[in-house]
Amino acid sequence: MIVVSLASSTPIFTSSTAAAGGGSPPQFPLPPRKIPSQKRRKLFNNPLRVAAPPSNSTTAISEEDQQKSIDPEDSDEQSPSKFSWRDHWYPVSLVEDLDPLYPTPFQLLNRDLVLWFDKSASQWVALDDKCPHRLAPLSEGRIDENGHLQCSYHGWSFDGSGSCKRIPQATSVGPEARAVNSPRACATRFPTLVSQGLLFVWPDENGWERAQATSPPMLPDDFDTPEFSSVTIQRDLYYGYDTLMENVSDPSHIDFAHHKVTGRRDRAKPLPFKMESNGAWGFAGANEGNPKISAKFVAPCYYINKIEIDTKLPVVGEQKWVIWICSFNVPMAPGKTRSIVCSARNFFQFSMPGPAWWQVVPRWNEHWTSNKVYDGDMIVLQGQEKVFLSQSTEGSGNVNEQYTKITFTPTQADRFVLAFRNWLRRHGNNQPQWFGTPDLQTLPSTILSKRQMLDRFEQHTLKCSSCRNAHKNFETLQKFFIGAAVVFAATAGIPPDMQIRVFFGAGAILSAGLAYTVNELQKNFVFVDYIHADID
């Protein structure tokens, strides 16, 4: 999955390359934390089993030797190093998609959180989503008149530090009056920070010092230059973190899974990726050719793709087009992952949302195309995850340890997929460090229907300020046209003049047609069935 709309108003570019090479890929260093520029603040705060082709070689090469050639072990370390899943910043939401007037529930590493805006401190807060009184979810509460988070069950209120500020049932004197100051009355608070339009949470309530000493992952500097326009999107996906990470590590699927959206089947070619480095921190690599795809995985959930295209256009001549696709693949719970994608490009900026007066394409329209990308992967990955689960439960062992045995990955196009599986096996303990008892939970992909898996409304629209508001506007517009059609139809027979009757009748037909059109467009916010075989 590479979520960027290159098809809406631009040519379709594929992840193919014409030549193999071993040149050094560009580095994507994570710079120290810095204060975003005015442009970036304005932009974000308002807002990757291939069948082996027949070999013509007369030399016999075993599958095991062939697999080893594209399945490198870590080059940076001789032995696996321990990776702590809870000692990292995780982006939980785009700030522009959070409503400061309401508490928002979120799951991180299988732990329930509530996100809300503390007006008194002008900061976003993350608390454990349970009231210390009787463990009711605070996310079902409200922001009260004092700007505190109030539990909807018994009215206990909490400030931004998690301290209890009011217990309505307590008497004004004696032990009950002092209960509000008890540590047991406090809600658990987690470190938070806002960077580049993203709200980050540190999942360890005891890790304040480590959090303060650690910078969050940063977007490339090109996001901050006027030559690039960017767009963001987030969607909750009902398959696991490892399934999504494997998918974004695999550019070769684009031409098929996203045919006529961001790729073309007839343009698929070999992708001879070369690894540059890998270790407990992640891995990096690239191909050579045109387009050139450079990739970097920064553990635990940040994946950067840079696509460079050399092209020649009439009048303007030779151009270098650059596309950044930066995805945060946040492990919410077993079988559930939040995808946050920030993409940017330096061409055809007029077809992207933006602050400039000439950038008239709304963000929600861009999300229609991006959601086609998500939908193109959804059922394929649901089926894949079911097979992996079946393999593990039938005694094949851990999927990451047995990956090259239960799949057949003979081409260099799968190099980054194998690199991720190696990282997860050697450093990531084969899965995120979940809170609670995840083994007792049923994976959503094993029980949800296709309609539920492709539910854009629950997974995206309700969690996106742009699409949520646009959906409401479409509903209002549809009601208006229906009302207009009824009025025109009801009055068409009243006037004695035939021309006026024809006018009213035409108005009824036109209004009904517009109501139908709006209804069809509105489906893009809710559900659109995706059938690969129907896309010629």
Side-chain angles (χ1 to χ4, degrees):
M1 173 192 313
I2 292 201
V3 184
V4 58
S5 174
L6 297 180
S8 56
S9 304
T10 65
I12 294 178
F13 302 104
T14 72
S15 56
S16 56
T17 181
S24 300
Q27 294 294 301
F28 309 125
L30 294 181
R33 188 186 309 176
K34 60 183 180 181
I35 299 175
S37 70
Q38 183 65 30
K39 175 182 180 294
R40 180 171 286 175
R41 287 198 301 269
K42 182 176 180 181
L43 179 63
F44 289 104
N45 291 343
N46 289 323
L48 54 107
R49 223 152 76 159
V50 178
S55 174
N56 294 324
S57 172
T58 58
T59 303
I61 302 176
S62 69
E63 287 187 10
E64 182 179 0
D65 290 340
Q66 187 178 29
Q67 186 68 59
K68 287 181 179 179
S69 69
I70 63 168
D71 185 18
E73 292 294 337
D74 287 332
S75 60
D76 293 353
E77 302 177 28
Q78 296 300 318
S79 60
S81 60
K82 185 177 180 180
F83 180 84
S84 177
W85 288 84
R86 299 178 185 177
D87 285 339
H88 293 273
W89 286 108
Y90 290 84
V92 295
S93 180
L94 295 160
V95 174
E96 65 178 311
D97 290 328
L98 288 170
D99 191 334
L101 301 179
Y102 295 89
T104 302
F106 188 77
Q107 279 184 299
L108 179 59
L109 295 175
N110 206 39
R111 188 166 191 173
D112 293 321
L113 308 176
V114 56
L115 313 173
W116 64 285
F117 189 72
D118 180 12
K119 290 189 291 185
S120 63
S122 297
Q123 65 179 359
W124 287 96
V125 177
L127 301 179
D128 203 359
D129 193 15
K130 59 184 179 185
C131 179
H133 175 216
R134 299 262 294 279
L135 308 183
L138 291 172
S139 58
E140 287 297 322
R142 59 186 282 267
I143 309 300
D144 68 15
E145 296 76 11
N146 299 313
H148 300 147
L149 177 60
Q150 185 181 82
C151 179
S152 62
Y153 199 15
H154 294 94
W156 288 32
S157 297
F158 306 87
D159 65 13
S161 67
S163 297
C164 184
K165 305 305 291 185
R166 182 171 182 259
I167 301 178
Q169 297 78 20
T171 59
S172 59
V173 295
E176 290 188 3
R178 295 191 295 270
V180 71
N181 298 317
S182 171
R184 296 188 62 188
C186 296
T188 301
R189 183 188 176 194
F190 298 87
T192 57
L193 65 80
V194 172
S195 175
Q196 299 180 297
L198 292 162
L199 174 61
F200 288 83
V201 172
W202 190 275
D204 183 2
E205 67 269 32
N206 299 314
W208 287 85
E209 291 186 2
R210 296 191 302 275
Q212 292 174 358
T214 307
S215 296
M218 301 290 289
L219 296 172
D221 289 340
D222 281 346
F223 277 75
D224 202 27
T225 62
E227 292 80 19
F228 283 77
S229 288
S230 61
V231 66
T232 57
I233 188 174
Q234 61 187 22
R235 181 167 172 175
D236 293 345
L237 307 172
Y238 286 105
Y239 44 79
Y241 157 85
D242 57 335
T243 302
L244 179 56
M245 279 303 313
E246 178 181 315
N247 177 255
V248 301
S249 303
D250 172 28
S252 66
H253 80 281
I254 296 172
D255 291 321
F256 295 92
H258 309 307
H259 175 59
K260 289 189 176 180
V261 181
T262 58
R264 292 290 295 254
R265 298 183 189 122
D266 57 355
R267 296 181 185 178
K269 293 181 180 180
L271 285 172
F273 289 116
K274 303 295 182 182
M275 293 297 297
E276 179 192 51
S277 59
N278 49 50
W281 59 270
F283 59 83
N287 72 316
E288 290 292 340
N290 187 30
K292 179 179 179 179
I293 304 174
S294 306
K296 185 173 185 178
F297 165 56
V298 181
C301 63
Y302 187 29
Y303 204 95
I304 309 168
N305 277 294
K306 182 182 182 182
I307 305 170
E308 300 172 89
I309 306 168
D310 292 322
T311 186
K312 188 173 183 179
L313 299 176
V315 182
V316 296
E318 295 183 354
Q319 300 283 307
K320 178 175 284 293
W321 291 349
V322 178
I323 307 166
W324 289 98
I325 305 169
C326 303
S327 62
F328 297 91
N329 311 289
V330 187
M332 300 177 67
K336 187 177 182 181
T337 314
R338 170 160 289 189
S339 170
I340 303 176
V341 178
C342 305
S343 57
R345 68 179 185 227
N346 65 347
F347 59 96
F348 294 155
Q349 294 170 291
F350 62 87
S351 65
M352 294 184 71
W357 65 268
W358 44 267
Q359 292 179 300
V360 297
V361 176
R363 181 171 177 245
W364 55 261
N365 182 261
E366 186 78 10
H367 287 181
W368 285 1
T369 301
S370 297
N371 275 313
K372 286 182 183 179
V373 178
Y374 283 118
D375 291 350
D377 286 326
M378 194 74 68
I379 305 305
V380 175
L381 296 182
Q382 180 190 28
Q384 180 194 48
E385 189 164 272
K386 287 181 179 179
V387 173
F388 280 144
L389 179 62
S390 174
Q391 292 282 346
S392 62
T393 57
E394 291 177 0
S396 297
N398 182 278
V399 168
N400 299 297
E401 295 176 355
Q402 302 295 321
Y403 191 82
T404 57
K405 296 180 180 179
I406 61 180
T407 65
F408 183 46
T409 51
T411 72
Q412 295 181 54
D414 293 313
R415 188 180 292 274
F416 296 153
V417 172
L418 297 174
F420 168 71
R421 288 292 178 177
N422 277 334
W423 177 87
L424 193 57
R425 171 177 58 86
R426 290 173 58 82
H427 306 290
N429 196 35
N430 291 308
Q431 64 174 336
Q433 188 180 356
W434 306 112
F435 290 93
T437 54
D439 294 338
L440 301 179
Q441 301 180 24
T442 301
L443 295 184
S445 62
T446 64
I447 58 175
L448 296 183
S449 65
K450 182 179 183 180
R451 174 63 175 80
Q452 292 170 316
M453 291 290 292
L454 294 174
D455 189 342
R456 295 184 183 182
F457 189 73
E458 291 290 337
Q459 298 172 17
H460 171 70
T461 301
L462 289 178
K463 301 170 177 64
C464 171
S465 59
S466 301
C467 291
R468 185 170 61 245
N469 293 332
H471 178 259
K472 292 180 180 178
N473 292 336
F474 271 70
E475 284 186 324
T476 301
L477 194 61
Q478 182 183 12
K479 292 177 182 178
F480 172 80
F481 284 130
I482 291 175
V486 171
V487 171
F488 277 125
T491 58
I494 298 177
D497 191 317
M498 182 59 66
Q499 289 184 339
I500 298 178
R501 290 184 179 186
V502 171
F503 174 79
F504 283 160
I509 295 173
L510 178 61
S511 297
L514 290 173
Y516 174 79
T517 301
V518 171
N519 180 67
E520 290 299 301
L521 291 173
Q522 189 178 346
K523 293 179 181 179
N524 287 285
F525 297 113
V526 182
F527 167 77
V528 178
D529 196 7
Y530 201 101
I531 304 173
H532 288 273
D534 286 347
I535 307 175
D536 296 327

